[in-house]
Every structure is written in structure tokens, then in C-alpha cells.
């Protein structure tokens, strides 16, 4: 592919129209450069177009081009040579082999990795809990406290599905703010998104059935499949655009897939966002197979959200799942589900499982949500997480640039929402060993071994920057982190 595109109009033809409508110019230039790199037009270590040439060809400022190159450098796709411009990094190609369905066996590993440390971490990057150091969170728990004191004056009773009426109403409003048409009659309150997905799987499958997931896949979904005796078929996914419809279509021709689980907005762990055309194609090629759409990070989008699969679906076979765990506090365990044509069966499971909701928490959170502080809080956290992502990438690149065996041989997959980053090291690196070494220094990460059923992401790891605020001096701990990485990279 040639690099002389002439003007910005030609550039917009090379990327998705919805990106053009909602993106800054540097993101367009970044997308353009990434496309020509991934197309094979440039080989490893090839020199890329100069800042001056791209500025003239694309009719954008030099600062815009510089920002685009800096973003790609932070993600490990390019590197800079003094007085020589930018070059293509040595890259690790994505796994694209379609593996056979298999039973999941991750519980023992995850129990060890997910246990909460008894000490204060000096670099807390492991757990995907949101930052709770905010005025709105203090107001939230003050409201719950007030409701707690009122419980003695309220008759004891079970709050049956769909849940607290005020909470259902507020969660429906949150869903509508995300561009999804949802009435109070559609919504069921659950014990977090995890229970929502579990209920949906129980309603649509039986032991031994095959469920398709994106790969890498959130370990919580893999654990659910393990607990329900279901088999998993992992569908290769792009770290920027999510699950491959073509690979899914191939899998459907080979195996009897009963359910598909996807996260179109900010996949955990890669942070991928499925473009509109890919969402439409996924619905088109998946026939009548039910789809569970997990949208727990959707409210943290940097820009205008894309239409959900639930909104695009005309067959009512998409089940939409969300929660307050990533926007407020994961300890609340408040989620909700739009179950479509499966509502009656799922509601029956919900009632039989719980015999009611958590009355105190639900009433307190419902009152908090009526205050309007939730929207203000999420807007603030989006800005904070953006800054924290940039700050972490800056420091990690700084410390890893000191080690020749690591420099230009890793990739940081950034996201346009959420607070998670997926980091790929050279093949052969053992992220579980890195996890163990980090623990010895009170540093937490999540090794890639928990995000697949075939140990295919052994060389990757996930970090959460939710609590990596710019006000702290993280450099000493990051120096240790960089040294530990360098010691394990061959």
C-alpha cells in the first residue's frame, strides 16, 4: 500500500466512517498508520513516512502526526531512532489457529491468583476494581448507611424479581443513556454481571454443550463454563476490533455452537472495540444462535458509544448484561440483564436461586442514583482513566527502554475506554513466572494463562491502571517491574 494519500479525505476512506465521526485527527492518523503496518506494506524495522511527509500528505499538523506516532510507540508498534524518524517494531503475530472445543480447567489456578493479598501493594495492577477514591463513592456509602439505619423501621420481606422498583427505574435510565431502548418491564436486577451471564447460560444450554467466546477471553466467563460443565470454543479476536466473524463462521460450520458470549465494548483483557460493520456482520452470520452481550465497561467510553448488539438485533436473541462494578464499586454486586425472549425462564432461575434481592444495598443505591451524581462521577472517571493509561504507558516505556532484550519487542494494547491494558511480551516469556516474581516485590499483575484454555497467552499479561493516579511517584516500583520483565525475556 502506498503512503502518498494526498489529503485527509482519502484517509477517511481507509478507516471506518463511525471512527471519523467520533475521533480526534491524531486517532485517524494512528488508525491509518496501523492499517498500513498490519497490511504488510512495511516489514520489521522498516522506516516509516516522515512526520513532514505525513503532515503534507494527510493535510494535518505536524503535532497531530507526532501524537499519532507517540501513541503507536506507546503500544509497541513503532520505535524512534534519533535523527532517523520512526521504524516498525519487531512484532508478535496474533494467534489465528481455530482450536477444537475443550473443557475448561482454570479454577485451581484462578483461586490462587485472585486471592486478596494481606499486605499493601506498592504497585497494584492486578485486580480490575475501579478507583473508589471519589466524592461520589463517599456519598454512595453515606446513602447506604442512612438506609441501614432505617431498616429497623421497615418490615422484613423478600424483594422478588425484577428487584427494587426505584433501582430498576434508575438502571433502565442508565441503559437508555448508553443508547439502548430499555423499559422497566425488560430489566431484571442480578447479583452482578457474572450472575446475569450464568443465568443466561443455564437457560439456554445443558452440560456438554459448546459455547463460543472471544479469545483471549475474560477468565470469569471461562470459570462459568467450567462450573456448568460446558465446552468452550475460543474464536480468535483482534486486539483492536474484537472477535473475528470469519473465524466464528468457520467454527459454526464445524461444530454445533449453542451460545456466543462477546464484549463489543472494551473486551477484557484486550480493550478491543468492535466496529459497527463487524457488529452487523456478527449478527448476520450467527444465524439464530443466542448471543450474550457483556457491556460492563460500556459506560467508560471516551467518545459516543456505538449501537449495541442488543439494539441492532431484530430477532430478540441478544441478551444484554451490565453492572455497576466498573463504574461505581465492584463490592456492590449489582448487575442487570435484558433477557429478551428468554426473560421468563431467566426470571424463574433468578427467583429460585435467590428468593429475593439484597434489600438494603438496592434501596440505598437506588436513592443515590436519583441524585444525578452517577453521570458526573462516570464522566470524571473517564478523564481520570485516560490520564492514568497515558501515565502508565509513559513510565513503562521509560523503564523498558533501558533493556535491549525488551526494547521494541513488546506491545501495549491501549483502549478507548475502561482502565485495562493488555501487554504482549516476546513468545517464550512466562507471564505466570513474572506474576510470581512480582508478588515477591508486592507488585500485582494478572498473567495471560487465565485468559485462555490452551495456555496460548503465556507470554501476555493484563494490568489495571484504575489506581495508578498521576499524583503518586510510581517510578521506583516501575523500575523494579521493568527489571523483573527484562530478567524473563530471552
Amino acid at each position: 500500500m502506498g503512503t502518498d494519500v494526498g489529503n485527509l479525505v482519502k484517509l477517511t476512506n481507509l478507516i471506518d466512517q463511525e471512527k471519523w465521526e467520533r475521533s480526534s485527527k491524531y486517532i485517524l492518523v494512528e488508525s491509518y498508520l496501523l492499517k498500513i503496518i498490519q497490511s504488510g506494506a512495511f516489514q520489521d524495522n522498516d522506516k516509516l513516512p516522515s512526520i513532514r511527509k505525513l503532515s503534507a500528505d494527510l493535510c494535518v499538523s505536524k503535532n497531530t502526526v507526532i501524537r499519532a506516532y507517540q501513541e503507536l510507540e506507546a503500544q509497541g508498534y513503532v520505535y524512534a531512532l534519533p535523527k532517523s524518524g520512526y521504524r516498525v517494531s519487531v512484532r508478535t503475530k496474533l494467534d489465528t489457529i481455530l482450536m477444537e472445543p475443550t473443557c475448561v480447567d482454570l479454577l485451581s489456578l484462578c483461586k490462587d491468583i485472585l486471592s486478596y493479598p494481606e499486605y499493601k501493594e506498592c504497585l497494584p495492577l492486578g485486580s480490575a476494581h475501579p478507583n473508589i477514591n471519589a466524592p461520589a463513592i463517599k456519598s454512595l456509602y453515606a446513602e447506604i448507611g442512612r438506609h441501614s439505619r432505617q431498616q429497623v423501621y421497615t418490615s422484613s420481606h423478600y424483594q422478588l424479581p425484577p428487584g427494587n422498583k426505584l433501582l430498576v427505574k434508575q438502571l433502565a435510565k442508565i441503559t437508555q443513556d448508553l443508547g439502548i431502548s430499555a423499559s422497566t418491564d425488560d430489566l431484571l436486577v442480578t447479583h452482578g454481571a457474572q450472575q446475569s451471564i450464568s443465568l443466561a447460560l443455564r437457560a439456554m444450554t445443558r452440560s456438554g454443550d459448546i459455547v463460543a467466546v472471544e479469545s483471549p477471553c475474560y477468565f470469569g466467563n471461562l470459570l462459568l463454563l467450567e462450573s456448568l460443565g460446558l465446552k468452550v470454543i475460543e474464536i480468535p479476536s483482534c486486539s483492536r476490533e474484537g472477535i473475528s466473524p470469519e473465524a466464528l463462521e468457520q467454527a459454526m460450520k464445524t461444530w454445533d455452537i449453542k451460545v456466543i458470549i462477546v464484549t463489543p465494548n472494551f473486551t477484557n483483557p484486550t480493550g478491543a472495540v468492535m466496529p459497527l460493520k463487524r457488529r452487523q456482520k456478527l449478527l448476520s452470520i450467527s444465524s439464530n444462535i443466542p448471543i450474550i452481550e457483556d457491556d460492563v465497561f460500556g459506560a467508560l467510553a471516551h467518545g459516543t458509544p456505538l449501537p449495541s448488539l442488543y439494539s441492532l438485533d431484530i430477532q430478540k436473541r441478544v441478551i444484554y448484561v451490565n453492572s455497576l462494578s466498573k463504574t461505581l464499586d465492584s463490592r456492590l454486586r449489582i448487575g442487570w440483564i435484558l433477557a429478551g425472549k428468554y426473560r421468563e425462564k431467566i426470571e424463574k432461575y433468578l427467583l429460585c436461586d435467590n428468593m429475593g434481592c439484597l434489600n438494603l444495598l438496592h434501596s440505598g443505591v437506588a436513592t443515590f442514583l436519583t441524585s444525578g451524581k452517577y453521570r458526573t462521577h462516570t464522566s470524571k472517571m473517564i478523564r481520570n482513566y485516560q490520564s492514568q493509561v497515558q501515565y502508565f504507558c509513559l513510565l513503562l516505556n521509560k523503564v523498558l527502554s533501558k533493556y535491549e532484550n525488551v526494547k521494541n519487542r513488546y506491545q501495549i494494547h491501549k483502549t478507548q475506554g475502561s482502565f485495562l491494558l493488555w501487554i504482549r511480551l516476546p513468545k517464550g516469556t512466562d507471564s505466570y513466572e513474572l506474576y510470581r516474581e512480582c508478588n515477591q516485590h508486592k507488585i500485582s499483575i494478572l498473567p495471560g494463562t487465565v485468559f485462555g484454555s490452551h495456555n496460548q497467552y503465556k507470554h501476555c499479561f493484563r494490568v489495571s491502571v484504575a489506581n495508578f493516579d498521576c499524583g503518586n511517584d510510581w517510578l521506583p516500583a516501575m523500575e523494579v517491574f521493568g527489571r523483573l520483565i527484562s530478567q524473563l525475556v530471552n
Side-chain angles (χ1 to χ4, degrees):
M1 182 184 295
T3 58
D4 185 10
V5 295
N7 55 52
L8 198 58
V9 174
K10 291 184 180 180
L11 170 59
T12 61
N13 291 332
L14 294 174
I15 61 178
D16 294 326
Q17 182 62 29
E18 66 266 19
K19 283 185 179 179
W20 163 250
E21 293 171 351
R22 62 191 175 91
S23 297
S24 301
K25 286 185 179 180
Y26 84 85
I27 295 178
L28 301 177
V29 178
E30 178 190 350
S31 297
Y32 165 70
L33 285 167
L34 188 61
K35 280 185 179 291
I36 63 173
I37 290 171
Q38 293 180 333
S39 72
F42 292 91
Q43 301 302 310
D44 295 339
N45 298 310
D46 276 358
K47 186 175 181 179
L48 288 159
S50 69
I51 294 170
R52 178 179 296 178
K53 177 172 176 56
L54 276 179
S55 174
D57 287 349
L58 304 180
C59 298
V60 296
S61 70
K62 292 181 181 178
N63 285 339
T64 297
V65 178
I66 291 171
R67 174 72 185 277
Y69 269 132
Q70 288 174 338
E71 291 291 324
L72 289 174
E73 185 176 22
Q75 297 172 66
Y77 287 103
V78 306
Y79 65 97
L81 285 179
K83 299 182 180 180
S84 182
Y86 285 90
R87 295 177 181 268
V88 178
S89 293
V90 178
R91 289 156 285 147
T92 303
K93 297 187 183 300
L94 296 176
D95 298 314
T96 56
I97 299 174
L98 194 59
M99 301 178 185
E100 291 194 1
T102 185
C103 295
V104 181
D105 184 17
L106 286 175
L107 182 59
S108 57
L109 176 63
C110 286
K111 283 178 67 176
D112 173 53
I113 290 174
L114 298 177
S115 59
Y116 191 77
E118 297 179 357
Y119 51 81
K120 183 178 180 181
E121 297 170 328
C122 64
L123 196 56
L125 303 174
S127 298
H129 299 294
N131 190 319
I132 60 170
N133 185 24
I137 302 300
K138 294 180 175 62
S139 297
L140 167 65
Y141 283 106
E143 193 63 61
I144 293 173
R146 282 192 287 272
H147 279 256
S148 177
R149 292 188 291 275
Q150 294 170 5
Q151 290 297 301
V152 69
Y153 305 109
T154 305
S155 58
S156 180
H157 66 284
Y158 288 125
Q159 180 68 66
L160 300 180
N164 179 286
K165 289 184 178 180
L166 180 58
L167 180 61
V168 170
K169 181 179 179 181
Q170 293 303 314
L171 295 179
K173 285 185 177 180
I174 290 173
T175 309
Q176 291 162 8
D177 287 342
L178 294 172
I180 300 165
S181 177
S183 73
T184 55
D185 294 331
D186 300 323
L187 192 146
L188 296 170
V189 181
T190 62
H191 193 61
Q194 194 80 346
Q195 188 190 37
S196 296
I197 297 173
S198 177
L199 291 167
L201 287 171
R202 288 169 58 193
M204 297 182 295
T205 64
R206 58 185 178 181
S207 181
D209 282 346
I210 299 172
V211 176
V213 301
E214 50 213 333
S215 185
C217 176
Y218 171 52
F219 63 87
N221 290 339
L222 294 175
L223 289 175
L224 275 179
L225 298 177
E226 180 177 353
S227 69
L228 295 172
L230 299 168
K231 291 184 178 181
V232 60
I233 174 73
E234 296 185 54
I235 309 300
S237 299
C238 169
S239 61
R240 291 177 70 90
E241 298 188 346
I243 194 168
S244 166
E246 293 78 14
L248 176 62
E249 191 170 24
Q250 178 186 343
M252 290 169 52
K253 292 176 181 177
T254 310
W255 296 289
D256 182 17
I257 295 172
K258 297 298 185 182
V259 178
I260 301 165
I261 306 177
V262 290
T263 306
N265 295 324
F266 320 118
T267 303
N268 182 353
T270 66
V273 178
M274 192 183 298
L276 178 58
K277 290 179 181 178
R278 186 170 289 211
R279 297 179 191 222
Q280 293 168 332
K281 186 170 184 179
L282 174 62
L283 289 170
S284 174
I285 62 99
S286 58
S287 186
N288 296 317
I289 299 176
I291 298 175
I292 301 174
E293 178 180 17
D294 184 351
D295 197 30
V296 294
F297 286 107
L300 297 177
H302 296 174
T304 304
L306 293 171
S308 66
L309 294 175
Y310 183 87
S311 300
L312 296 169
D313 172 35
I314 60 174
Q315 297 176 301
K316 302 301 179 185
R317 61 188 170 96
V318 174
I319 296 176
Y320 178 86
V321 170
N322 208 330
S323 84
L324 299 177
S325 293
K326 306 306 179 187
T327 51
L328 283 179
D329 191 344
S330 52
R331 294 173 296 183
L332 295 173
R333 308 309 303 146
I334 293 179
W336 65 98
I337 183 170
L338 305 178
K341 63 183 181 182
Y342 308 99
R343 177 192 167 95
E344 184 177 347
K345 192 171 185 179
I346 288 176
E347 185 172 6
K348 180 179 72 173
Y349 280 128
L350 182 59
L351 174 61
C352 295
D353 280 358
N354 294 349
M355 286 301 292
C357 304
L358 303 175
N359 298 33
L360 168 59
L361 275 178
H362 287 198
S363 62
V365 172
T367 302
F368 167 80
L369 292 175
T370 63
S371 69
K373 294 178 182 178
Y374 176 80
R375 182 179 293 182
T376 303
H377 173 72
T378 52
S379 297
K380 177 183 177 182
M381 298 317 295
I382 289 170
R383 295 191 297 270
N384 287 353
Y385 294 146
Q386 281 182 283
S387 299
Q388 285 154 214
V389 165
Q390 297 294 340
Y391 185 46
F392 176 83
C393 291
L394 175 68
L395 288 189
L396 185 61
N397 284 316
K398 181 177 181 179
V399 299
L400 291 183
S401 66
K402 300 177 181 179
Y403 302 99
E404 290 300 324
N405 65 321
V406 182
K407 188 177 180 181
N408 305 323
R409 298 182 63 207
Y410 64 94
Q411 290 181 0
I412 307 174
H413 297 285
K414 296 175 67 178
T415 178
Q416 294 301 311
S418 93
F419 42 76
L420 302 178
L421 296 172
W422 183 239
I423 300 175
R424 289 178 177 266
L425 298 175
K427 284 285 184 73
T429 309
D430 188 342
S431 65
Y432 183 69
E433 184 61 27
L434 176 62
Y435 154 79
R436 288 164 56 91
E437 290 294 326
C438 285
N439 270 359
Q440 299 299 314
H441 295 81
K442 299 183 179 180
I443 296 171
S444 64
I445 63 168
L446 213 57
T449 47
V450 301
F451 294 99
S453 59
H454 300 276
N455 203 26
Q456 67 269 48
Y457 301 109
K458 186 177 180 180
H459 61 295
C460 306
F461 63 94
R462 191 201 74 183
V463 298
S464 166
V465 299
N467 295 289
F468 196 84
D469 60 277
C470 303
N472 287 0
D473 181 13
W474 298 102
L475 186 56
M478 289 292 288
E479 293 280 9
V480 175
F481 187 40
R483 175 171 57 82
L484 295 176
I485 291 174
S486 71
Q487 290 173 350
L488 291 173
V489 173
N490 296 322

